[in-house]
Amino acid sequence: MAIQWFPGHMHLTRKAIGERVKDIDVVIELLDARLPGSSANPMLAELTGHKPGLKVLNKQDLADPERTAQWLAHYNAQPATRAIGLDASQATPAQQLVAACHALAPGRGGMAKPMRVLICGIPNVGKSTLINTLTGSRKAKTGDEAGITKLEQRIVLADDFYLWDTPGMLWPRIVVAKSGYNLAASGAIGRNAFDEEEVALELLGTLKEHYAGLVEARFKLDAPVSPLTDEQVLEAIGRKRGALLGKGRVNLQKAAEIVMHEFRNANLGRITLETPEEFAQWLAAGQQLDAERQAKKANRKKHAPSDSSGAA
Ligand code: G4P
């Protein structure tokens, strides 16, 4: 699928993170608990090196608890890494984050050696909400337009705990095709950058496989969805919700919008679109495909006739 997102302040943000990270004790990456693998920035490890990392699975109130547990175990098994699940609007659990940073950098704390933390995440993952919850104020702006946090800002959470906020950042190339769909379905990418019908069909494909009962119940469908094609499920939903064009035809665009709205608001139930094992497979396949593409491109360049026109 072609997703035409504008990576925004990517170069600036990348530079800012690279410079800031030298004086940082812990890097927090805020992930969307419904798509932890796809919402993780593939460039972050390269930018932050071996700094201890805290993975925060945010929006866990919308995600499948069983799968959240799998992802937490997956991250907690990695060196110098801890993971916690959060609902960013809840104050008490957000304090877990402070405790987890101290556990990752036990030498830091106190006025002489304040804890210095960098927080990163894709647009709309809930960074502003979390910061507001932690500070107990409305200092960080929140909103439903992707990427509202514009500038790097230092937030003093306590006399000995500093948090550097970075703008929500997406990366320029999607290596894992399925990640593009999952990011679009979650609301991380502006709606003009992708085809809603295509994304809704892919989402229904995943839901049909893992959460068929939730789809049937929410849309009060008359028949099981498993034997249907994704297109047939979308049509059935459109009919049930009265998204019609006349002459009995279904307004597929409207039906797609309904599906995405219901998913994003967890009206279907708590859903997670990927497991660690699935994501590892997608990543391996995506990386292989990407390597082949890059090799072909390099080969084409090598054999392209050089410009010998000598035009004067
Ligand atoms: P950002 O800074 O990372 O771009 O994200 P922001 O905090 O603006 O949050 C994006 C949306 O996600 C907001 O909803 C916010 O309320 C919601 N959100 C953040 N954290 C959580 C969470 O843990 N659980 C749930 N369920 N939602 C979360 P919005 O509809 O854009 O705005 P509003 O409803 O707050 O008005």
Side-chain angles (χ1 to χ4, degrees), residues 30 57-62 86-90 121-130 132 138 141-149 168 264-265:
L30 213 52
L57 271 61
N58 194 39
K59 306 197 183 185
Q60 72 164 352
D61 53 310
L62 307 178
L86 276 192
D87 168 353
S89 59
Q90 302 282 317
I122 59 170
N124 236 21
V125 73
K127 209 146 51 68
S128 314
T129 307
L130 177 62
N132 286 337
R138 302 291 299 172
K141 284 194 273 179
T142 61
D144 56 7
E145 281 301 311
I148 203 158
T149 315
R264 287 178 187 170
N265 288 314

mmCIF file of all heavy atoms in Angstrom, residues 30 57-62 86-90 121-130 132 138 141-149 168 264-265, ligand 1:
data_model
loop_
_atom_site.group_PDB
_atom_site.id
_atom_site.type_symbol
_atom_site.label_atom_id
_atom_site.label_comp_id
_atom_site.label_asym_id
_atom_site.label_seq_id
_atom_site.Cartn_x
_atom_site.Cartn_y
_atom_site.Cartn_z
ATOM 1 N N LEU A 30 7.505 5.416 23.903
ATOM 2 C CA LEU A 30 6.082 5.193 24.094
ATOM 3 C C LEU A 30 5.565 4.418 22.886
ATOM 4 O O LEU A 30 5.734 4.863 21.744
ATOM 5 C CB LEU A 30 5.397 6.561 24.184
ATOM 6 C CG LEU A 30 4.191 6.693 25.085
ATOM 7 C CD1 LEU A 30 4.498 6.189 26.480
ATOM 8 C CD2 LEU A 30 3.732 8.143 25.170
ATOM 9 N N LEU A 57 4.019 0.579 27.018
ATOM 10 C CA LEU A 57 2.904 0.174 26.155
ATOM 11 C C LEU A 57 1.686 0.978 26.574
ATOM 12 O O LEU A 57 0.984 0.624 27.525
ATOM 13 C CB LEU A 57 2.653 -1.333 26.285
ATOM 14 C CG LEU A 57 3.455 -2.205 25.312
ATOM 15 C CD1 LEU A 57 4.941 -2.047 25.514
ATOM 16 C CD2 LEU A 57 3.064 -3.650 25.428
ATOM 17 N N ASN A 58 1.488 2.084 25.865
ATOM 18 C CA ASN A 58 0.404 2.994 26.235
ATOM 19 C C ASN A 58 -0.912 2.555 25.582
ATOM 20 O O ASN A 58 -0.912 1.743 24.676
ATOM 21 C CB ASN A 58 0.775 4.416 25.828
ATOM 22 C CG ASN A 58 -0.140 5.423 26.473
ATOM 23 O OD1 ASN A 58 -0.522 5.272 27.639
ATOM 24 N ND2 ASN A 58 -0.544 6.433 25.737
ATOM 25 N N LYS A 59 -1.995 3.121 26.052
ATOM 26 C CA LYS A 59 -3.343 2.772 25.584
ATOM 27 C C LYS A 59 -3.627 1.308 25.867
ATOM 28 O O LYS A 59 -4.298 0.625 25.079
ATOM 29 C CB LYS A 59 -3.531 3.082 24.084
ATOM 30 C CG LYS A 59 -3.199 4.525 23.722
ATOM 31 C CD LYS A 59 -3.748 4.944 22.388
ATOM 32 C CE LYS A 59 -3.328 6.371 22.057
ATOM 33 N NZ LYS A 59 -3.897 6.920 20.851
ATOM 34 N N GLN A 60 -3.100 0.803 26.971
ATOM 35 C CA GLN A 60 -3.323 -0.610 27.253
ATOM 36 C C GLN A 60 -4.792 -0.878 27.591
ATOM 37 O O GLN A 60 -5.243 -2.014 27.501
ATOM 38 C CB GLN A 60 -2.405 -1.117 28.357
ATOM 39 C CG GLN A 60 -2.731 -0.624 29.737
ATOM 40 C CD GLN A 60 -2.053 -1.462 30.823
ATOM 41 O OE1 GLN A 60 -1.463 -2.494 30.555
ATOM 42 N NE2 GLN A 60 -2.129 -0.989 32.056
ATOM 43 N N ASP A 61 -5.516 0.189 27.931
ATOM 44 C CA ASP A 61 -6.949 0.015 28.195
ATOM 45 C C ASP A 61 -7.709 -0.369 26.918
ATOM 46 O O ASP A 61 -8.822 -0.884 26.987
ATOM 47 C CB ASP A 61 -7.547 1.303 28.791
ATOM 48 C CG ASP A 61 -7.255 2.536 27.935
ATOM 49 O OD1 ASP A 61 -6.072 2.740 27.573
ATOM 50 O OD2 ASP A 61 -8.199 3.273 27.621
ATOM 51 N N LEU A 62 -7.090 -0.111 25.735
ATOM 52 C CA LEU A 62 -7.741 -0.449 24.467
ATOM 53 C C LEU A 62 -7.250 -1.800 23.928
ATOM 54 O O LEU A 62 -7.815 -2.337 22.982
ATOM 55 C CB LEU A 62 -7.445 0.629 23.405
ATOM 56 C CG LEU A 62 -7.755 2.086 23.770
ATOM 57 C CD1 LEU A 62 -7.346 3.010 22.623
ATOM 58 C CD2 LEU A 62 -9.234 2.251 24.084
ATOM 59 N N LEU A 86 0.575 1.001 30.288
ATOM 60 C CA LEU A 86 -0.037 2.188 30.901
ATOM 61 C C LEU A 86 -1.318 2.591 30.191
ATOM 62 O O LEU A 86 -1.498 2.334 29.018
ATOM 63 C CB LEU A 86 0.893 3.395 30.778
ATOM 64 C CG LEU A 86 2.008 3.641 31.773
ATOM 65 C CD1 LEU A 86 2.530 5.046 31.545
ATOM 66 C CD2 LEU A 86 1.541 3.501 33.205
ATOM 67 N N ASP A 87 -2.147 3.269 30.947
ATOM 68 C CA ASP A 87 -3.217 4.068 30.365
ATOM 69 C C ASP A 87 -2.802 5.479 30.755
ATOM 70 O O ASP A 87 -2.831 5.831 31.932
ATOM 71 C CB ASP A 87 -4.551 3.663 30.981
ATOM 72 C CG ASP A 87 -5.658 4.648 30.647
ATOM 73 O OD1 ASP A 87 -5.363 5.703 30.055
ATOM 74 O OD2 ASP A 87 -6.809 4.357 30.982
ATOM 75 N N ALA A 88 -2.369 6.266 29.757
ATOM 76 C CA ALA A 88 -1.680 7.530 30.039
ATOM 77 C C ALA A 88 -2.507 8.517 30.860
ATOM 78 O O ALA A 88 -1.961 9.439 31.449
ATOM 79 C CB ALA A 88 -1.261 8.195 28.732
ATOM 80 N N SER A 89 -3.813 8.328 30.891
ATOM 81 C CA SER A 89 -4.620 9.303 31.625
ATOM 82 C C SER A 89 -4.731 8.953 33.109
ATOM 83 O O SER A 89 -5.265 9.735 33.888
ATOM 84 C CB SER A 89 -6.006 9.396 30.991
ATOM 85 O OG SER A 89 -6.616 8.131 31.032
ATOM 86 N N GLN A 90 -4.235 7.796 33.500
ATOM 87 C CA GLN A 90 -4.331 7.367 34.901
ATOM 88 C C GLN A 90 -3.090 7.800 35.679
ATOM 89 O O GLN A 90 -1.989 7.411 35.340
ATOM 90 C CB GLN A 90 -4.445 5.834 34.973
ATOM 91 C CG GLN A 90 -5.632 5.276 34.220
ATOM 92 C CD GLN A 90 -6.931 5.445 34.989
ATOM 93 O OE1 GLN A 90 -6.965 5.220 36.194
ATOM 94 N NE2 GLN A 90 -7.967 5.858 34.304
ATOM 95 N N GLY A 121 8.214 8.906 20.723
ATOM 96 C CA GLY A 121 7.053 8.110 20.319
ATOM 97 C C GLY A 121 6.472 8.652 19.033
ATOM 98 O O GLY A 121 6.712 9.801 18.675
ATOM 99 N N ILE A 122 5.709 7.824 18.351
ATOM 100 C CA ILE A 122 5.077 8.266 17.101
ATOM 101 C C ILE A 122 3.944 9.243 17.427
ATOM 102 O O ILE A 122 3.458 9.274 18.567
ATOM 103 C CB ILE A 122 4.525 7.066 16.296
ATOM 104 C CG1 ILE A 122 3.480 6.286 17.111
ATOM 105 C CG2 ILE A 122 5.645 6.150 15.857
ATOM 106 C CD1 ILE A 122 2.724 5.259 16.298
ATOM 107 N N PRO A 123 3.518 10.035 16.443
ATOM 108 C CA PRO A 123 2.401 10.951 16.690
ATOM 109 C C PRO A 123 1.163 10.202 17.176
ATOM 110 O O PRO A 123 0.909 9.076 16.745
ATOM 111 C CB PRO A 123 2.137 11.560 15.307
ATOM 112 C CG PRO A 123 3.397 11.372 14.546
ATOM 113 C CD PRO A 123 4.030 10.128 15.071
ATOM 114 N N ASN A 124 0.453 10.839 18.098
ATOM 115 C CA ASN A 124 -0.842 10.321 18.562
ATOM 116 C C ASN A 124 -0.749 9.131 19.518
ATOM 117 O O ASN A 124 -1.762 8.546 19.877
ATOM 118 C CB ASN A 124 -1.711 9.909 17.361
ATOM 119 C CG ASN A 124 -3.031 10.618 17.398
ATOM 120 O OD1 ASN A 124 -3.163 11.660 18.054
ATOM 121 N ND2 ASN A 124 -4.011 10.069 16.737
ATOM 122 N N VAL A 125 0.458 8.773 19.919
ATOM 123 C CA VAL A 125 0.607 7.601 20.790
ATOM 124 C C VAL A 125 0.199 7.920 22.234
ATOM 125 O O VAL A 125 -0.022 7.027 23.045
ATOM 126 C CB VAL A 125 2.050 7.030 20.693
ATOM 127 C CG1 VAL A 125 3.056 7.922 21.393
ATOM 128 C CG2 VAL A 125 2.119 5.611 21.218
ATOM 129 N N GLY A 126 0.111 9.228 22.535
ATOM 130 C CA GLY A 126 -0.341 9.619 23.885
ATOM 131 C C GLY A 126 0.735 10.294 24.716
ATOM 132 O O GLY A 126 0.623 10.387 25.940
ATOM 133 N N LYS A 127 1.752 10.823 24.049
ATOM 134 C CA LYS A 127 2.877 11.427 24.762
ATOM 135 C C LYS A 127 2.433 12.663 25.552
ATOM 136 O O LYS A 127 2.795 12.808 26.728
ATOM 137 C CB LYS A 127 3.972 11.791 23.756
ATOM 138 C CG LYS A 127 5.346 11.768 24.338
ATOM 139 C CD LYS A 127 6.386 11.310 23.338
ATOM 140 C CE LYS A 127 6.357 12.036 22.018
ATOM 141 N NZ LYS A 127 6.768 13.448 22.146
ATOM 142 N N SER A 128 1.671 13.543 24.903
ATOM 143 C CA SER A 128 1.230 14.758 25.593
ATOM 144 C C SER A 128 0.337 14.402 26.784
ATOM 145 O O SER A 128 0.463 14.993 27.855
ATOM 146 C CB SER A 128 0.450 15.664 24.658
ATOM 147 O OG SER A 128 1.111 15.791 23.445
ATOM 148 N N THR A 129 -0.532 13.425 26.580
ATOM 149 C CA THR A 129 -1.435 13.011 27.668
ATOM 150 C C THR A 129 -0.626 12.493 28.849
ATOM 151 O O THR A 129 -0.884 12.856 30.011
ATOM 152 C CB THR A 129 -2.394 11.895 27.163
ATOM 153 O OG1 THR A 129 -3.036 12.349 25.993
ATOM 154 C CG2 THR A 129 -3.422 11.535 28.220
ATOM 155 N N LEU A 130 0.375 11.678 28.550
ATOM 156 C CA LEU A 130 1.199 11.113 29.618
ATOM 157 C C LEU A 130 1.944 12.218 30.373
ATOM 158 O O LEU A 130 1.983 12.227 31.608
ATOM 159 C CB LEU A 130 2.194 10.101 29.035
ATOM 160 C CG LEU A 130 3.173 9.494 30.031
ATOM 161 C CD1 LEU A 130 2.442 8.695 31.106
ATOM 162 C CD2 LEU A 130 4.184 8.595 29.331
ATOM 163 N N ASN A 132 1.135 15.353 30.596
ATOM 164 C CA ASN A 132 0.147 16.098 31.398
ATOM 165 C C ASN A 132 -0.182 15.350 32.686
ATOM 166 O O ASN A 132 -0.317 15.952 33.755
ATOM 167 C CB ASN A 132 -1.144 16.306 30.611
ATOM 168 C CG ASN A 132 -0.990 17.352 29.526
ATOM 169 O OD1 ASN A 132 -0.105 18.204 29.604
ATOM 170 N ND2 ASN A 132 -1.820 17.286 28.521
ATOM 171 N N ARG A 138 -1.624 21.171 32.420
ATOM 172 C CA ARG A 138 -1.933 21.102 30.996
ATOM 173 C C ARG A 138 -0.792 21.730 30.201
ATOM 174 O O ARG A 138 -1.016 22.384 29.206
ATOM 175 C CB ARG A 138 -3.256 21.830 30.695
ATOM 176 C CG ARG A 138 -4.444 21.308 31.450
ATOM 177 C CD ARG A 138 -4.863 19.923 30.996
ATOM 178 N NE ARG A 138 -5.240 19.914 29.583
ATOM 179 C CZ ARG A 138 -5.493 18.804 28.904
ATOM 180 N NH1 ARG A 138 -5.367 17.632 29.488
ATOM 181 N NH2 ARG A 138 -5.842 18.869 27.635
ATOM 182 N N LYS A 141 0.541 20.236 25.078
ATOM 183 C CA LYS A 141 -0.725 20.300 24.348
ATOM 184 C C LYS A 141 -1.149 18.896 23.918
ATOM 185 O O LYS A 141 -0.315 18.090 23.534
ATOM 186 C CB LYS A 141 -0.544 21.145 23.080
ATOM 187 C CG LYS A 141 -0.501 22.623 23.349
ATOM 188 C CD LYS A 141 -0.666 23.392 22.055
ATOM 189 C CE LYS A 141 0.655 23.615 21.359
ATOM 190 N NZ LYS A 141 0.532 24.326 20.099
ATOM 191 N N THR A 142 -2.441 18.609 23.950
ATOM 192 C CA THR A 142 -2.907 17.351 23.366
ATOM 193 C C THR A 142 -3.891 17.683 22.261
ATOM 194 O O THR A 142 -4.463 18.762 22.223
ATOM 195 C CB THR A 142 -3.636 16.436 24.378
ATOM 196 O OG1 THR A 142 -4.771 17.127 24.852
ATOM 197 C CG2 THR A 142 -2.738 16.047 25.524
ATOM 198 N N GLY A 143 -4.079 16.762 21.364
ATOM 199 C CA GLY A 143 -5.022 17.010 20.273
ATOM 200 C C GLY A 143 -5.094 15.801 19.389
ATOM 201 O O GLY A 143 -4.271 14.903 19.502
ATOM 202 N N ASP A 144 -6.063 15.762 18.481
ATOM 203 C CA ASP A 144 -6.205 14.559 17.679
ATOM 204 C C ASP A 144 -5.534 14.670 16.316
ATOM 205 O O ASP A 144 -5.607 13.771 15.507
ATOM 206 C CB ASP A 144 -7.683 14.154 17.547
ATOM 207 C CG ASP A 144 -8.521 15.274 16.978
ATOM 208 O OD1 ASP A 144 -7.936 16.289 16.577
ATOM 209 O OD2 ASP A 144 -9.748 15.120 16.953
ATOM 210 N N GLU A 145 -4.852 15.773 16.053
ATOM 211 C CA GLU A 145 -4.102 15.866 14.802
ATOM 212 C C GLU A 145 -2.710 15.307 15.050
ATOM 213 O O GLU A 145 -2.048 15.686 16.010
ATOM 214 C CB GLU A 145 -3.977 17.327 14.364
ATOM 215 C CG GLU A 145 -5.231 17.864 13.696
ATOM 216 C CD GLU A 145 -5.622 17.090 12.458
ATOM 217 O OE1 GLU A 145 -4.740 16.864 11.606
ATOM 218 O OE2 GLU A 145 -6.782 16.670 12.350
ATOM 219 N N ALA A 146 -2.282 14.395 14.167
ATOM 220 C CA ALA A 146 -0.989 13.759 14.356
ATOM 221 C C ALA A 146 0.124 14.805 14.473
ATOM 222 O O ALA A 146 0.160 15.758 13.709
ATOM 223 C CB ALA A 146 -0.718 12.822 13.189
ATOM 224 N N GLY A 147 1.003 14.625 15.455
ATOM 225 C CA GLY A 147 2.218 15.429 15.535
ATOM 226 C C GLY A 147 2.041 16.838 16.055
ATOM 227 O O GLY A 147 2.589 17.793 15.509
ATOM 228 N N ILE A 148 1.276 17.014 17.139
ATOM 229 C CA ILE A 148 1.038 18.372 17.613
ATOM 230 C C ILE A 148 2.219 18.905 18.446
ATOM 231 O O ILE A 148 2.450 20.105 18.507
ATOM 232 C CB ILE A 148 -0.305 18.457 18.380
ATOM 233 C CG1 ILE A 148 -0.817 19.903 18.381
ATOM 234 C CG2 ILE A 148 -0.192 17.936 19.797
ATOM 235 C CD1 ILE A 148 -2.290 20.010 18.612
ATOM 236 N N THR A 149 3.000 18.003 19.059
ATOM 237 C CA THR A 149 4.147 18.445 19.851
ATOM 238 C C THR A 149 5.242 18.856 18.880
ATOM 239 O O THR A 149 5.723 18.039 18.126
ATOM 240 C CB THR A 149 4.660 17.291 20.742
ATOM 241 O OG1 THR A 149 3.538 16.693 21.338
ATOM 242 C CG2 THR A 149 5.617 17.779 21.783
ATOM 243 N N GLY A 168 6.640 14.027 18.053
ATOM 244 C CA GLY A 168 6.216 12.722 17.555
ATOM 245 C C GLY A 168 6.871 12.459 16.215
ATOM 246 O O GLY A 168 6.847 13.307 15.338
ATOM 247 N N ARG A 264 -10.857 2.128 16.595
ATOM 248 C CA ARG A 264 -10.065 3.115 17.341
ATOM 249 C C ARG A 264 -10.659 3.412 18.704
ATOM 250 O O ARG A 264 -9.944 3.676 19.661
ATOM 251 C CB ARG A 264 -9.953 4.417 16.534
ATOM 252 C CG ARG A 264 -9.015 4.256 15.368
ATOM 253 C CD ARG A 264 -8.942 5.516 14.546
ATOM 254 N NE ARG A 264 -8.166 5.279 13.342
ATOM 255 C CZ ARG A 264 -8.086 6.120 12.337
ATOM 256 N NH1 ARG A 264 -8.734 7.268 12.377
ATOM 257 N NH2 ARG A 264 -7.360 5.829 11.289
ATOM 258 N N ASN A 265 -11.963 3.383 18.800
ATOM 259 C CA ASN A 265 -12.600 3.679 20.091
ATOM 260 C C ASN A 265 -12.792 2.440 20.945
ATOM 261 O O ASN A 265 -13.454 2.506 21.973
ATOM 262 C CB ASN A 265 -13.953 4.352 19.862
ATOM 263 C CG ASN A 265 -13.763 5.765 19.370
ATOM 264 O OD1 ASN A 265 -12.960 6.511 19.903
ATOM 265 N ND2 ASN A 265 -14.473 6.117 18.325
HETATM 266 P P1 G4P B 1 0.651 12.645 21.206
HETATM 267 O O1 G4P B 1 1.042 13.747 22.127
HETATM 268 O O2 G4P B 1 1.528 11.444 21.345
HETATM 269 O O3 G4P B 1 0.498 13.042 19.769
HETATM 270 O O4 G4P B 1 -0.795 12.085 21.643
HETATM 271 P P2 G4P B 1 -1.911 12.736 22.605
HETATM 272 O O5 G4P B 1 -1.452 12.773 24.020
HETATM 273 O O6 G4P B 1 -2.420 13.989 21.989
HETATM 274 O O7 G4P B 1 -3.019 11.598 22.526
HETATM 275 C C1 G4P B 1 -3.666 11.253 21.314
HETATM 276 C C2 G4P B 1 -5.049 10.690 21.621
HETATM 277 O O8 G4P B 1 -4.910 9.464 22.353
HETATM 278 C C3 G4P B 1 -5.902 11.620 22.521
HETATM 279 O O9 G4P B 1 -7.254 11.391 22.151
HETATM 280 C C4 G4P B 1 -5.705 11.022 23.905
HETATM 281 O O10 G4P B 1 -6.774 11.307 24.776
HETATM 282 C C5 G4P B 1 -5.646 9.541 23.573
HETATM 283 N N1 G4P B 1 -4.900 8.771 24.591
HETATM 284 C C6 G4P B 1 -3.661 9.016 25.069
HETATM 285 N N2 G4P B 1 -3.286 8.071 25.954
HETATM 286 C C7 G4P B 1 -4.315 7.194 26.035
HETATM 287 C C8 G4P B 1 -4.518 5.980 26.765
HETATM 288 O O11 G4P B 1 -3.665 5.485 27.499
HETATM 289 N N3 G4P B 1 -5.730 5.365 26.566
HETATM 290 C C9 G4P B 1 -6.683 5.855 25.721
HETATM 291 N N4 G4P B 1 -7.832 5.182 25.606
HETATM 292 N N5 G4P B 1 -6.517 6.983 25.021
HETATM 293 C C10 G4P B 1 -5.335 7.641 25.168
HETATM 294 P P3 G4P B 1 -8.056 12.431 21.281
HETATM 295 O O12 G4P B 1 -9.327 11.797 20.910
HETATM 296 O O13 G4P B 1 -7.179 12.932 20.191
HETATM 297 O O14 G4P B 1 -8.292 13.634 22.244
HETATM 298 P P4 G4P B 1 -9.135 13.670 23.604
HETATM 299 O O15 G4P B 1 -10.055 12.503 23.602
HETATM 300 O O16 G4P B 1 -8.132 13.608 24.715
HETATM 301 O O17 G4P B 1 -9.815 14.994 23.509
#
